[in-house]
Amino acid sequence: MVDKMLGKSVSIRSLRKSYGAVEVLHNIDLEIEAGEFCTLLGASGSGKTTILKVIAGFEDTNAGIIEIDGNDVANTAVAKRNIGMVFQNYALFPHMSVRKNVSFGLEMRNLPDREIASRISKALELVDLSDFADRLPSDLSGGQQQRVALARALVISPDILLMDEPLGALDKNLRQSIQIQLKRLHKELGITIIYVTHDQEEALHLSDKIVIMDKGKIVQRGTPQQLYFQPRNEFVACFLGECNFVRDTQGREFWIRPENMYLKEKQVNGARTVSGIVEDVIFLGSTVKILARNNGNEVIIKADNTVDAQTLSTGTELDFYVNEADILLRDEKI
């Protein structure tokens, strides 16, 4: 079980799904490579979870093809798809011990007792829960319960792991800790993971590929770096991280990331000057977040906590500098 798994590819073509008169997925085309960590990112109602349910076989489609490793799974039962799933609410059996929760899927497959015991031991070791095998879920923290759910999904050696907002109920520090563990497990196991979240930072941290969705459609897909630095449009630029719409001193309009606006001019490939009035300076330790107003628009600037930043006060008129190469979108339309 702890050996490297050979994840399988997923191919979705011309997928459509409706509930009554409401079409929730509009002609989705998506290729996920074997062993890839692919995150579906979008707001609630964008269609992310519906895609997971369709892949797993929990939902039928109105049109389209879904292939796993090149094989059409339209008529393949849920239990035969060899897919593991982890949900936000963990879905653990409260009356069963950790060991029994993890063994459930194996017992349904009628595996020999010795193999079940061996797999459980390896799965719990994988998620650092070997010492908690005999506890009930109610005796565990939220993070530990989440890891039990992950062990239960991994113990069946799935070809694909589907994860639907699995860290949404955890506090920030614990969520970040589990993210590190999950990234390590993905690297070690080589399993294909399709992950659903609305958390942009989480998507950037975990993913090989991010698919941004809005209203049942794919808006853009690519690596975290491609989407962050080369957004296709305003929606993507603003959804994946903070973004400012500003007008420079010559009246030209564009979009720029807060970390790419400088208090001092940094000439690289031409620079533009943006004037603003400081509304607030928020202390964040080694950095500060400056809130300013530019032509009626709120602007966020992230800067090092230097003497220059410390002397700023509300109402200060200030020029910020933007390098030409850092501009994401020009004149608002592309």
Side-chain angles (χ1 to χ4, degrees):
M1 216 287 304
V2 292
D3 295 334
K4 201 167 183 70
M5 299 179 186
L6 297 177
K8 292 187 176 180
S9 63
V10 177
S11 178
I12 299 174
R13 299 193 297 277
S14 303
L15 177 64
R16 296 174 61 190
K17 173 64 180 176
S18 298
Y19 296 107
V22 180
E23 190 171 31
V24 295
L25 294 177
H26 307 277
N27 212 37
I28 298 293
D29 292 309
L30 179 60
E31 300 290 333
I32 300 170
E33 297 179 11
E36 191 170 47
F37 195 124
C38 176
T39 295
L40 307 180
L41 176 65
S44 297
S46 59
K48 311 182 301 296
T49 297
T50 304
I51 290 180
L52 284 198
K53 289 179 178 179
V54 167
I55 293 171
F58 296 149
E59 294 278 3
D60 293 328
T61 65
N62 296 98
I65 297 173
I66 298 175
E67 294 179 344
I68 295 179
D69 214 28
N71 299 309
D72 190 338
V73 295
N75 298 314
T76 304
V78 173
K80 298 293 185 180
R81 299 191 186 194
N82 197 32
I83 290 175
M85 290 203 69
V86 180
F87 303 94
Q88 181 175 350
N89 63 2
Y90 316 134
L92 300 178
F93 300 112
H95 60 288
M96 291 185 182
S97 67
V98 168
R99 188 191 313 277
K100 291 295 289 182
N101 266 282
V102 175
S103 72
F104 183 79
L106 299 176
E107 292 172 358
M108 293 297 99
R109 286 165 170 76
N110 296 315
L111 295 180
D113 291 344
R114 181 174 294 182
E115 183 176 352
I116 289 177
S118 175
R119 286 197 182 202
I120 292 170
S121 176
K122 291 176 180 178
L124 292 179
E125 180 182 353
L126 198 64
V127 297
D128 298 323
L129 286 177
S130 298
D131 296 336
F132 298 83
D134 297 316
R135 296 194 186 185
L136 293 173
S138 58
D139 297 325
L140 304 177
S141 68
Q144 289 167 336
Q145 290 182 39
Q146 192 273 347
R147 284 186 280 152
V148 174
L150 181 57
R152 185 175 62 183
L154 292 174
V155 77
I156 65 170
S157 297
D159 298 316
I160 300 164
L161 180 61
L162 306 180
M163 308 189 76
D164 189 7
E165 300 275 8
L167 311 184
L170 305 179
D171 64 55
K172 182 178 180 179
N173 289 338
L174 185 54
R175 191 164 65 245
Q176 291 175 340
S177 175
I178 299 293
Q179 287 172 9
I180 293 171
Q181 278 193 312
L182 186 57
K183 196 165 186 176
R184 172 181 60 81
L185 286 174
H186 175 250
K187 184 177 181 180
E188 288 180 6
L189 299 177
I191 191 173
T192 303
I193 297 180
I194 306 176
Y195 193 95
V196 160
T197 186
H198 64 272
D199 187 313
Q200 297 94 329
E201 186 175 323
E202 188 168 273
L204 289 169
H205 180 195
L206 292 173
S207 313
D208 298 318
K209 176 194 292 177
I210 297 175
V211 178
I212 296 183
M213 299 192 63
D214 183 42
K215 299 176 183 176
K217 297 179 180 180
I218 293 176
V219 182
Q220 189 174 350
R221 74 200 79 195
T223 66
Q225 293 84 357
Q226 286 172 336
L227 268 61
Y228 191 81
F229 294 113
Q230 301 168 38
R232 178 175 295 167
N233 53 33
E234 174 189 337
F235 178 85
V236 175
C238 295
F239 193 82
L240 199 66
E242 294 176 310
C243 198
N244 297 312
F245 176 62
V246 298
R247 183 181 297 131
D248 69 14
T249 52
Q250 296 185 21
R252 296 170 296 186
E253 298 176 336
F254 54 90
W255 294 88
I256 189 76
R257 298 285 184 202
E259 64 269 24
N260 291 327
M261 298 186 70
Y262 306 105
L263 297 180
K264 290 187 175 180
E265 188 169 355
K266 293 188 176 182
Q267 188 82 20
V268 176
N269 187 26
R272 298 190 181 188
T273 306
V274 178
S275 295
I277 298 177
V278 177
E279 294 189 334
D280 198 5
V281 180
I282 302 171
F283 173 72
L284 297 173
S286 61
T287 62
V288 294
K289 180 182 285 190
I290 303 165
L291 305 183
R293 186 68 57 177
N294 165 261
N295 290 287
N297 298 315
E298 184 180 75
V299 177
I300 300 172
I301 301 96
K302 294 179 180 177
D304 293 333
N305 190 8
T306 62
V307 173
D308 291 326
Q310 293 169 8
T311 59
L312 295 178
S313 59
T314 301
T316 302
E317 293 186 13
L318 193 63
D319 284 341
F320 302 98
Y321 300 94
V322 172
N323 290 319
E324 192 80 18
D326 293 328
I327 295 173
L328 297 177
L329 304 171
R330 302 167 189 274
D331 300 323
E332 195 177 3
K333 299 181 180 66
I334 60 170

